[in-house]
Amino acid sequence: MSARRSTAATLLTLAVATAALAGCSQKKDDKASSDAVKVNATDTACEVSKTSFPAGHVVLDITN
């Protein structure tokens, strides 16, 4: 019965994590992405389109 509880707890944890990640996703908007800071990330470096930002929220467009 312990294995059954462990499996149920694992499935519940996965369901909660999936719901949390789905709630954090945002639909890409072309208007917002035009103002986004472009970041090109590789295994060894990150290239950023600009290095100075205004106060407040900054939208990042990350390409890996």
Side-chain angles (χ1 to χ4, degrees):
M1 186 126 122
S2 178
R4 203 178 254 181
R5 283 187 182 179
S6 177
T7 302
T10 302
L11 290 175
L12 179 61
T13 302
L14 287 173
V16 169
T18 302
L21 289 174
C24 292
S25 66
Q26 182 177 3
K27 184 177 179 183
K28 187 172 181 178
D29 183 12
D30 290 338
K31 188 168 111 179
S33 66
S34 66
D35 296 333
V37 177
K38 306 235 184 279
V39 179
N40 185 18
T42 64
D43 288 339
T44 57
C46 286
E47 297 173 6
V48 183
S49 64
K50 63 181 181 177
T51 57
S52 179
F53 311 102
H57 294 280
V58 176
V59 178
L60 300 176
D61 182 12
I62 302 172
T63 304
N64 185 2

